[in-house]
Coordinates of all heavy atoms in Angstrom, one line a residue:
A1 N 120.1 -46.2 -11.5 CA 119.9 -45.9 -10.1 C 120.6 -47.0 -9.3 O 120.7 -48.1 -9.6 CB 118.4 -45.9 -9.7
A2 N 121.2 -46.5 -8.1 CA 121.9 -47.4 -7.3 C 121.0 -48.3 -6.5 O 119.9 -47.8 -6.1 CB 122.9 -46.6 -6.3
T3 N 121.4 -49.5 -6.2 CA 120.5 -50.3 -5.3 C 120.6 -49.8 -3.9 O 121.6 -49.2 -3.5 CB 121.0 -51.8 -5.4 OG1 122.3 -51.9 -4.9 CG2 120.9 -52.3 -6.8
P4 N 119.6 -50.1 -3.1 CA 119.6 -49.6 -1.7 C 120.8 -50.1 -0.9 O 121.4 -49.4 -0.1 CB 118.3 -50.1 -1.1 CG 117.4 -50.4 -2.3 CD 118.3 -50.7 -3.4
A5 N 121.2 -51.3 -1.1 CA 122.3 -51.9 -0.3 C 123.6 -51.1 -0.7 O 124.4 -50.9 0.2 CB 122.5 -53.4 -0.6
L6 N 123.8 -50.8 -1.9 CA 125.0 -50.0 -2.3 C 125.0 -48.6 -1.8 O 126.0 -48.0 -1.6 CB 125.2 -50.0 -3.8 CG 125.6 -51.4 -4.4 CD1 125.7 -51.3 -5.9 CD2 126.8 -52.0 -3.9
G7 N 123.8 -48.1 -1.6 CA 123.6 -46.7 -1.1 C 124.1 -46.6 0.4 O 124.4 -45.5 0.8
L8 N 124.2 -47.7 1.1 CA 124.7 -47.6 2.5 C 126.2 -47.6 2.6 O 126.7 -47.2 3.6 CB 124.2 -48.9 3.2 CG 122.7 -49.1 3.3 CD1 122.3 -50.4 4.0 CD2 122.1 -47.9 4.1
L9 N 126.9 -48.0 1.6 CA 128.4 -48.0 1.6 C 128.9 -46.6 1.2 O 128.3 -45.9 0.3 CB 128.9 -49.0 0.6 CG 128.6 -50.5 1.0 CD1 129.1 -51.4 -0.1 CD2 129.3 -50.9 2.3
P10 N 130.0 -46.2 1.7 CA 130.6 -44.9 1.3 C 130.9 -45.0 -0.2 O 131.2 -46.0 -0.7 CB 131.9 -44.8 2.1 CG 131.7 -45.7 3.3 CD 130.8 -46.8 2.8
L11 N 130.9 -43.8 -0.9 CA 131.1 -43.7 -2.3 C 132.5 -44.3 -2.7 O 133.5 -44.0 -2.0 CB 131.1 -42.3 -2.8 CG 131.0 -42.1 -4.3 CD1 129.8 -42.7 -4.9 CD2 131.0 -40.6 -4.6
G12 N 132.6 -45.2 -3.6 CA 133.8 -45.8 -4.0 C 134.3 -47.0 -3.2 O 135.3 -47.6 -3.5
K13 N 133.5 -47.4 -2.2 CA 133.9 -48.5 -1.4 C 133.0 -49.7 -1.7 O 131.8 -49.6 -2.0 CB 133.7 -48.2 0.1 CG 134.5 -47.1 0.6 CD 135.8 -47.5 1.0 CE 136.6 -46.4 1.6 NZ 137.9 -46.7 2.0
T14 N 133.6 -50.9 -1.8 CA 132.8 -52.1 -2.0 C 133.0 -53.0 -0.8 O 134.1 -52.9 -0.1 CB 133.2 -52.8 -3.2 OG1 134.6 -53.2 -3.2 CG2 133.0 -52.0 -4.5
Q15 N 132.1 -53.8 -0.5 CA 132.2 -54.7 0.6 C 132.5 -56.1 0.1 O 131.8 -56.7 -0.7 CB 130.9 -54.7 1.4 CG 130.9 -55.5 2.7 CD 129.6 -55.4 3.5 OE1 128.7 -54.8 3.0 NE2 129.6 -55.9 4.7
S16 N 133.6 -56.7 0.6 CA 134.0 -58.0 0.2 C 133.3 -59.1 1.0 O 133.0 -58.8 2.2 CB 135.5 -58.2 0.3 OG 135.9 -58.1 1.6
P17 N 132.9 -60.2 0.5 CA 132.2 -61.2 1.2 C 133.1 -61.8 2.3 O 134.3 -61.9 2.2 CB 131.8 -62.2 0.2 CG 132.7 -62.0 -1.0 CD 133.1 -60.6 -0.9
E18 N 132.5 -62.3 3.3 CA 133.2 -62.9 4.4 C 133.7 -64.3 4.0 O 133.0 -65.0 3.2 CB 132.2 -63.1 5.6 CG 132.9 -63.3 6.9 CD 131.9 -63.3 8.1 OE1 130.7 -63.4 7.9 OE2 132.4 -63.2 9.2
S19 N 134.9 -64.6 4.4 CA 135.5 -65.9 3.9 C 134.8 -67.1 4.6 O 134.2 -66.9 5.7 CB 137.0 -66.0 4.2 OG 137.2 -66.1 5.6
L20 N 134.8 -68.2 4.0 CA 134.2 -69.4 4.6 C 134.9 -69.8 5.9 O 134.3 -70.2 6.9 CB 134.4 -70.6 3.6 CG 133.7 -71.9 4.1 CD1 132.2 -71.7 4.4 CD2 133.9 -73.0 3.0
L21 N 136.3 -69.5 6.0 CA 137.0 -69.8 7.2 C 136.5 -68.9 8.4 O 136.3 -69.4 9.5 CB 138.5 -69.5 7.0 CG 139.4 -69.5 8.2 CD1 139.3 -70.8 8.9 CD2 140.8 -69.1 7.8
D22 N 136.2 -67.6 8.1 CA 135.7 -66.7 9.1 C 134.3 -67.1 9.6 O 134.0 -67.1 10.7 CB 135.7 -65.3 8.6 CG 137.0 -64.6 8.9 OD1 137.6 -64.8 10.0 OD2 137.5 -63.8 8.0
I23 N 133.5 -67.5 8.6 CA 132.1 -67.9 9.0 C 132.1 -69.1 9.9 O 131.5 -69.1 10.9 CB 131.3 -68.2 7.7 CG1 131.1 -66.9 6.9 CG2 130.0 -68.8 8.0 CD1 130.5 -67.1 5.5
A24 N 132.9 -70.1 9.5 CA 133.0 -71.3 10.3 C 133.6 -71.1 11.6 O 133.2 -71.6 12.7 CB 133.8 -72.4 9.5
A25 N 134.7 -70.3 11.7 CA 135.4 -70.0 12.9 C 134.5 -69.2 13.9 O 134.4 -69.5 15.1 CB 136.7 -69.2 12.7
R26 N 133.7 -68.3 13.4 CA 132.8 -67.5 14.2 C 131.7 -68.5 14.8 O 131.4 -68.4 15.9 CB 132.1 -66.4 13.4 CG 131.3 -65.5 14.2 CD 130.7 -64.3 13.5 NE 129.7 -64.8 12.6 CZ 129.7 -64.7 11.3 NH1 130.7 -64.1 10.7 NH2 128.7 -65.1 10.6
K27 N 131.2 -69.4 14.0 CA 130.1 -70.3 14.4 C 130.7 -71.2 15.5 O 130.0 -71.5 16.5 CB 129.6 -71.1 13.3 CG 128.8 -70.3 12.3 CD 127.6 -69.7 13.0 CE 126.7 -68.9 12.1 NZ 125.6 -68.2 12.8
V28 N 131.9 -71.7 15.3 CA 132.5 -72.6 16.4 C 132.7 -71.7 17.6 O 132.4 -72.2 18.7 CB 133.9 -73.1 15.9 CG1 134.7 -73.7 17.0 CG2 133.7 -74.1 14.8
A29 N 133.3 -70.5 17.5 CA 133.5 -69.7 18.7 C 132.2 -69.3 19.5 O 132.3 -69.1 20.7 CB 134.3 -68.4 18.3
E30 N 131.1 -69.2 18.7 CA 129.9 -68.9 19.4 C 129.4 -70.1 20.3 O 128.7 -69.9 21.2 CB 128.8 -68.6 18.3 CG 128.9 -67.3 17.6 CD 128.0 -67.1 16.5 OE1 127.2 -68.0 16.2 OE2 128.0 -66.1 15.8
K31 N 129.8 -71.3 19.9 CA 129.2 -72.5 20.6 C 130.2 -73.1 21.6 O 129.7 -73.7 22.6 CB 128.8 -73.5 19.6 CG 127.7 -73.1 18.7 CD 127.1 -74.2 17.9 CE 126.1 -73.7 16.9 NZ 124.8 -73.4 17.4
W32 N 131.5 -73.1 21.4 CA 132.4 -73.8 22.3 C 133.6 -72.9 22.7 O 134.1 -72.1 21.9 CB 133.0 -75.0 21.6 CG 132.0 -76.0 21.2 CD1 131.2 -76.7 22.0 CD2 131.8 -76.5 19.9 NE1 130.5 -77.6 21.3 CE2 130.8 -77.5 20.0 CE3 132.2 -76.2 18.6 CZ2 130.3 -78.2 18.9 CZ3 131.7 -76.8 17.5 CH2 130.8 -77.8 17.6
P33 N 134.0 -73.0 23.9 CA 135.2 -72.3 24.3 C 136.4 -72.9 23.6 O 136.4 -74.1 23.3 CB 135.4 -72.6 25.8 CG 134.0 -73.1 26.3 CD 133.4 -73.7 25.0
F34 N 137.4 -72.1 23.3 CA 138.6 -72.6 22.5 C 139.3 -73.8 23.2 O 139.7 -74.7 22.5 CB 139.6 -71.5 22.3 CG 140.7 -71.9 21.4 CD1 140.5 -72.1 20.0 CD2 142.0 -72.1 21.9 CE1 141.5 -72.5 19.2 CE2 143.0 -72.5 21.1 CZ 142.8 -72.7 19.8
Q35 N 139.3 -73.8 24.5 CA 139.9 -74.9 25.2 C 139.2 -76.2 24.9 O 139.9 -77.3 24.7 CB 139.9 -74.7 26.7 CG 140.6 -75.8 27.5 CD 140.6 -75.5 29.0 OE1 140.1 -74.5 29.4 NE2 141.1 -76.4 29.8
Q36 N 137.9 -76.2 24.8 CA 137.2 -77.5 24.4 C 137.5 -77.9 23.0 O 137.6 -79.1 22.7 CB 135.7 -77.3 24.6 CG 135.3 -77.3 26.1 CD 133.8 -77.2 26.2 OE1 133.0 -77.0 25.2 NE2 133.3 -77.3 27.4
V37 N 137.6 -76.9 22.1 CA 137.9 -77.2 20.7 C 139.3 -77.9 20.6 O 139.5 -78.9 20.0 CB 137.9 -75.9 19.9 CG1 138.4 -76.2 18.4 CG2 136.5 -75.3 19.8
E38 N 140.3 -77.3 21.4 CA 141.6 -77.9 21.4 C 141.6 -79.3 21.9 O 142.3 -80.2 21.4 CB 142.6 -77.1 22.3 CG 143.1 -75.9 21.6 CD 144.1 -75.2 22.4 OE1 143.9 -74.9 23.6 OE2 145.2 -74.9 21.9
E39 N 140.8 -79.6 23.0 CA 140.8 -80.9 23.6 C 140.1 -81.9 22.8 O 140.4 -83.1 22.8 CB 140.1 -80.8 25.0 CG 140.9 -80.0 26.0 CD 140.1 -79.7 27.3 OE1 138.9 -80.1 27.3 OE2 140.7 -79.2 28.2
R40 N 139.1 -81.5 22.0 CA 138.2 -82.4 21.3 C 138.8 -82.8 19.9 O 138.7 -84.0 19.5 CB 136.9 -81.8 21.0 CG 135.9 -82.7 20.3 CD 134.5 -82.1 20.3 NE 133.7 -83.0 19.6 CZ 132.4 -82.8 19.4 NH1 131.8 -81.7 19.8 NH2 131.7 -83.7 18.7
F41 N 139.5 -81.9 19.3 CA 140.1 -82.2 18.0 C 141.6 -82.3 18.0 O 142.2 -81.4 18.6 CB 139.6 -81.1 17.0 CG 138.1 -81.0 16.9 CD1 137.5 -80.0 17.5 CD2 137.4 -82.0 16.1 CE1 136.1 -79.9 17.4 CE2 136.0 -81.9 16.1 CZ 135.3 -80.9 16.7
E42 N 142.2 -83.3 17.4 CA 143.6 -83.6 17.5 C 144.4 -82.5 16.7 O 145.4 -82.0 17.3 CB 143.9 -85.0 17.0 CG 143.5 -86.0 17.9 CD 143.9 -87.4 17.4 OE1 144.9 -87.5 16.7 OE2 143.2 -88.4 17.8
R43 N 144.1 -82.3 15.5 CA 144.9 -81.4 14.6 C 144.0 -80.3 14.1 O 143.1 -80.5 13.4 CB 145.5 -82.2 13.5 CG 146.5 -83.2 13.9 CD 147.0 -83.9 12.7 NE 147.9 -85.0 13.1 CZ 148.9 -85.4 12.3 NH1 149.1 -84.8 11.2 NH2 149.6 -86.4 12.8
I44 N 144.4 -79.1 14.5 CA 143.7 -77.9 14.0 C 144.8 -77.0 13.4 O 145.7 -76.6 14.1 CB 143.0 -77.1 15.2 CG1 142.1 -78.0 15.9 CG2 142.3 -75.9 14.6 CD1 141.5 -77.4 17.2
P45 N 144.6 -76.7 12.1 CA 145.7 -75.9 11.4 C 145.8 -74.5 12.1 O 144.8 -74.0 12.6 CB 145.1 -75.8 10.0 CG 144.2 -76.9 9.8 CD 143.6 -77.2 11.2
E46 N 147.0 -74.0 12.1 CA 147.3 -72.7 12.8 C 146.3 -71.6 12.3 O 145.8 -70.8 13.2 CB 148.7 -72.4 12.6 CG 149.2 -71.2 13.4 CD 149.3 -71.4 14.9 OE1 149.5 -72.6 15.3 OE2 149.1 -70.5 15.6
P47 N 146.1 -71.4 11.0 CA 145.2 -70.3 10.6 C 143.8 -70.5 11.2 O 143.1 -69.5 11.5 CB 145.2 -70.4 9.1 CG 146.4 -71.2 8.7 CD 146.7 -72.1 9.9
V48 N 143.3 -71.7 11.3 CA 142.0 -72.0 11.8 C 142.0 -71.6 13.3 O 141.0 -71.0 13.8 CB 141.6 -73.4 11.6 CG1 140.2 -73.7 12.2 CG2 141.5 -73.7 10.1
Q49 N 143.0 -72.0 14.0 CA 143.1 -71.7 15.4 C 143.1 -70.2 15.7 O 142.4 -69.7 16.5 CB 144.4 -72.2 16.0 CG 144.5 -73.7 16.2 CD 145.8 -74.2 16.8 OE1 146.4 -73.4 17.6 NE2 146.2 -75.4 16.5
R50 N 143.8 -69.5 14.9 CA 143.9 -68.0 15.0 C 142.5 -67.4 14.8 O 142.1 -66.4 15.5 CB 144.9 -67.4 14.0 CG 146.3 -67.5 14.6 CD 147.3 -66.7 13.7 NE 148.0 -67.7 13.0 CZ 148.3 -67.7 11.7 NH1 147.9 -66.7 10.9 NH2 149.0 -68.6 11.1
R51 N 141.8 -67.8 13.8 CA 140.5 -67.3 13.5 C 139.4 -67.6 14.6 O 138.6 -66.8 15.0 CB 139.9 -67.7 12.2 CG 140.7 -67.3 11.0 CD 141.2 -65.8 11.0 NE 140.1 -64.9 11.0 CZ 140.2 -63.6 11.2 NH1 141.3 -63.1 11.6 NH2 139.2 -62.8 11.2
I52 N 139.5 -68.8 15.2 CA 138.6 -69.2 16.3 C 138.9 -68.3 17.5 O 138.0 -67.8 18.1 CB 138.7 -70.7 16.6 CG1 138.2 -71.6 15.4 CG2 137.9 -71.0 17.9 CD1 138.5 -73.0 15.6
V53 N 140.2 -68.2 17.8 CA 140.6 -67.3 18.9 C 140.1 -65.9 18.7 O 139.5 -65.2 19.6 CB 142.1 -67.4 19.2 CG1 142.5 -66.3 20.2 CG2 142.5 -68.7 19.7
Y54 N 140.3 -65.4 17.5 CA 139.8 -64.0 17.1 C 138.3 -63.9 17.4 O 137.9 -62.9 18.0 CB 140.1 -63.7 15.7 CG 139.5 -62.4 15.2 CD1 140.2 -61.2 15.5 CD2 138.4 -62.4 14.4 CE1 139.6 -60.0 15.0 CE2 137.8 -61.2 14.0 CZ 138.4 -60.0 14.3 OH 137.9 -58.9 13.9
W55 N 137.5 -64.8 16.9 CA 136.1 -64.7 17.1 C 135.6 -65.0 18.5 O 134.5 -64.7 18.9 CB 135.4 -65.6 16.1 CG 135.4 -65.0 14.7 CD1 136.1 -65.5 13.6 CD2 134.8 -63.8 14.2 NE1 136.0 -64.7 12.5 CE2 135.2 -63.6 12.9 CE3 133.9 -62.9 14.8 CZ2 134.7 -62.6 12.1 CZ3 133.5 -61.8 14.1 CH2 133.8 -61.7 12.7
S56 N 136.5 -65.7 19.3 CA 136.2 -66.0 20.7 C 136.3 -64.8 21.6 O 135.7 -64.7 22.6 CB 137.1 -67.1 21.2 OG 136.9 -68.3 20.5
F57 N 137.1 -63.8 21.2 CA 137.3 -62.6 22.0 C 136.0 -61.8 22.1 O 135.4 -61.6 21.1 CB 138.4 -61.8 21.4 CG 138.9 -60.7 22.3 CD1 139.8 -61.0 23.3 CD2 138.5 -59.4 22.2 CE1 140.3 -60.1 24.2 CE2 139.0 -58.4 23.1 CZ 139.9 -58.8 24.1
P58 N 135.7 -61.3 23.2 CA 134.4 -60.5 23.4 C 134.4 -59.3 22.5 O 135.5 -58.7 22.3 CB 134.4 -60.1 24.8 CG 135.4 -60.9 25.5 CD 136.4 -61.4 24.5
R59 N 133.3 -58.9 22.0 CA 133.2 -57.8 21.0 C 132.7 -56.5 21.7 O 133.1 -55.4 21.4 CB 132.2 -58.1 19.9 CG 132.7 -59.2 19.0 CD 133.8 -58.8 18.1 NE 134.3 -59.9 17.4 CZ 135.6 -60.3 17.5 NH1 136.4 -59.8 18.3 NH2 136.0 -61.4 16.8
S60 N 131.8 -56.6 22.7 CA 131.3 -55.4 23.3 C 132.2 -54.9 24.5 O 132.8 -55.7 25.2 CB 129.9 -55.7 23.9 OG 129.9 -56.5 25.1
E61 N 132.2 -53.6 24.7 CA 133.0 -53.0 25.7 C 132.6 -53.6 27.1 O 133.4 -53.8 28.0 CB 132.8 -51.5 25.7 CG 133.8 -50.8 26.7 CD 133.7 -49.3 26.5 OE1 133.2 -48.8 25.5 OE2 134.1 -48.6 27.5
R62 N 131.3 -53.8 27.3 CA 130.8 -54.4 28.6 C 131.4 -55.7 28.8 O 131.9 -56.0 30.0 CB 129.3 -54.4 28.5 CG 128.7 -54.9 29.8 CD 127.1 -54.8 29.7 NE 126.6 -55.7 30.7 CZ 126.0 -56.9 30.4 NH1 125.8 -57.2 29.1 NH2 125.5 -57.7 31.3
E63 N 131.4 -56.6 27.8 CA 132.0 -58.0 28.0 C 133.5 -57.9 28.3 O 134.0 -58.6 29.1 CB 131.7 -58.8 26.8 CG 130.3 -59.3 26.7 CD 130.0 -60.2 25.5 OE1 130.7 -59.9 24.4 OE2 129.3 -61.1 25.6
I64 N 134.2 -57.0 27.5 CA 135.6 -56.9 27.7 C 135.9 -56.4 29.1 O 136.8 -57.0 29.8 CB 136.2 -55.9 26.7 CG1 136.1 -56.5 25.3 CG2 137.6 -55.6 27.0 CD1 136.4 -55.5 24.2
C65 N 135.2 -55.5 29.7 CA 135.4 -55.0 31.0 C 135.1 -56.1 32.0 O 135.8 -56.2 33.1 CB 134.5 -53.8 31.3 SG 135.1 -52.3 30.4
M66 N 134.1 -56.9 31.8 CA 133.7 -57.9 32.7 C 134.8 -59.0 32.8 O 135.0 -59.5 33.9 CB 132.4 -58.6 32.2 CG 131.8 -59.6 33.2 SD 130.1 -60.2 32.8 CE 130.1 -60.4 31.1
Y67 N 135.4 -59.3 31.7 CA 136.4 -60.4 31.8 C 137.9 -59.8 32.0 O 138.8 -60.6 32.1 CB 136.4 -61.2 30.5 CG 135.1 -62.0 30.3 CD1 134.2 -61.6 29.4 CD2 134.9 -63.0 31.2 CE1 133.0 -62.4 29.3 CE2 133.7 -63.7 31.1 CZ 132.8 -63.4 30.1 OH 131.6 -64.1 30.0
S68 N 138.0 -58.5 32.0 CA 139.4 -57.9 32.1 C 139.5 -57.4 33.6 O 138.6 -57.1 34.2 CB 139.5 -56.8 31.2 OG 139.4 -57.2 29.9
S69 N 140.8 -57.4 34.0 CA 141.1 -56.9 35.3 C 142.5 -56.2 35.3 O 143.4 -56.8 34.7 CB 141.1 -58.0 36.3 OG 141.5 -57.5 37.6
F70 N 142.6 -55.1 36.0 CA 143.9 -54.5 36.1 C 144.7 -55.1 37.3 O 145.9 -54.8 37.5 CB 143.8 -53.0 36.2 CG 143.3 -52.3 35.0 CD1 142.0 -51.8 34.9 CD2 144.1 -52.3 33.8 CE1 141.5 -51.2 33.8 CE2 143.6 -51.7 32.7 CZ 142.3 -51.2 32.6
N71 N 144.1 -55.8 38.1 CA 144.7 -56.4 39.3 C 145.6 -57.6 38.8 O 145.2 -58.5 38.2 CB 143.6 -56.9 40.2 CG 144.2 -57.5 41.5 OD1 145.4 -57.5 41.7 ND2 143.3 -58.0 42.4
T72 N 146.9 -57.5 39.2 CA 147.8 -58.5 38.8 C 147.9 -59.7 39.8 O 148.4 -60.7 39.5 CB 149.3 -57.9 38.7 OG1 149.6 -57.4 40.0 CG2 149.3 -56.8 37.6
G73 N 147.2 -59.5 40.9 CA 147.2 -60.5 41.9 C 148.4 -60.5 42.9 O 148.5 -61.2 43.9
A74 N 149.4 -59.6 42.6 CA 150.6 -59.5 43.5 C 150.2 -59.0 44.9 O 150.7 -59.4 45.9 CB 151.6 -58.5 42.8
E75 N 149.2 -58.1 44.9 CA 148.8 -57.6 46.3 C 148.1 -58.7 47.1 O 148.3 -58.8 48.3 CB 147.7 -56.5 46.1 CG 148.3 -55.2 45.4 CD 148.2 -55.3 43.9 OE1 147.5 -56.3 43.4 OE2 148.8 -54.5 43.2
D76 N 147.4 -59.6 46.4 CA 146.7 -60.7 47.1 C 147.8 -61.7 47.6 O 147.6 -62.2 48.7 CB 145.8 -61.4 46.1 CG 144.6 -60.5 45.7 OD1 144.3 -59.6 46.4 OD2 144.0 -60.8 44.6
L77 N 148.8 -61.9 46.9 CA 149.8 -62.9 47.3 C 150.6 -62.4 48.6 O 150.9 -63.1 49.4 CB 150.8 -63.1 46.2 CG 150.3 -64.0 45.0 CD1 151.4 -64.1 44.0 CD2 149.9 -65.4 45.5
A78 N 150.8 -61.1 48.6 CA 151.5 -60.5 49.7 C 150.7 -60.5 51.0 O 151.3 -60.6 52.1 CB 151.9 -59.0 49.4
T79 N 149.4 -60.5 51.0 CA 148.6 -60.4 52.2 C 147.9 -61.8 52.5 O 147.3 -61.9 53.5 CB 147.5 -59.4 52.0 OG1 146.7 -59.6 50.9 CG2 148.1 -58.0 51.9
A80 N 148.0 -62.7 51.6 CA 147.4 -64.0 51.8 C 148.1 -64.9 52.8 O 149.3 -64.8 53.0 CB 147.3 -64.8 50.4
P81 N 147.3 -65.6 53.6 CA 147.9 -66.5 54.6 C 148.9 -67.5 54.0 O 148.5 -68.1 53.0 CB 146.7 -67.2 55.3 CG 145.5 -66.4 54.9 CD 145.8 -65.7 53.6
G82 N 150.1 -67.6 54.5 CA 151.0 -68.5 53.9 C 151.7 -68.0 52.7 O 152.5 -68.6 52.0
G83 N 151.4 -66.7 52.3 CA 152.1 -66.0 51.2 C 153.5 -65.6 51.5 O 154.0 -65.9 52.6
P84 N 154.1 -64.7 50.7 CA 155.4 -64.3 50.9 C 155.6 -63.5 52.2 O 156.7 -63.5 52.8 CB 155.7 -63.3 49.8 CG 154.7 -63.7 48.7 CD 153.5 -64.3 49.5
A85 N 154.6 -62.9 52.8 CA 154.7 -62.2 54.0 C 154.8 -63.1 55.2 O 155.3 -62.7 56.3 CB 153.5 -61.2 54.2
A86 N 154.4 -64.4 55.1 CA 154.4 -65.3 56.2 C 155.8 -65.9 56.5 O 156.6 -66.0 55.8 CB 153.4 -66.4 56.0

């Protein structure tokens, strides 16, 4: 008989364990903004940086919408005092 955990996976699929790099990068991203990580530590290998940035990106659609904007700011510059229109 199949174990209950294996019953949740599609037939013929296996789940590979998460890498230590991903676990550590996710924990760092949960606690510190990437900018603070860059400022605090002198040398961060490129693969580690990429994984921290990956895990720093919001996962829920609500968070993505909250931090995203279609406004490029060009309209604001044209109408701002002292902007190109002045």
Side-chain angles (χ1 to χ4, degrees):
T3 61
L6 292 177
L8 298 175
L9 296 174
L11 191 60
K13 300 277 183 174
T14 59
Q15 188 174 5
S16 59
E18 199 171 16
S19 72
L20 184 57
L21 173 59
D22 273 322
I23 293 168
R26 188 176 73 242
K27 292 298 180 184
V28 168
E30 288 172 359
K31 296 191 185 283
W32 297 300
F34 184 70
Q35 182 179 357
Q36 284 184 355
V37 173
E38 281 186 310
E39 291 169 357
R40 183 171 181 180
F41 302 102
E42 289 183 27
R43 296 180 184 209
I44 305 170
E46 188 71 27
V48 175
Q49 288 182 27
R50 278 189 254 131
R51 296 317 293 167
I52 294 172
V53 169
Y54 172 80
W55 287 110
S56 295
F57 194 79
R59 297 284 176 242
S60 73
E61 186 175 343
R62 183 175 156 253
E63 286 179 324
I64 292 169
C65 290
M66 184 169 44
Y67 294 111
S68 298
S69 173
F70 292 110
N71 184 2
T72 61
E75 298 85 12
D76 295 338
L77 289 177
T79 59

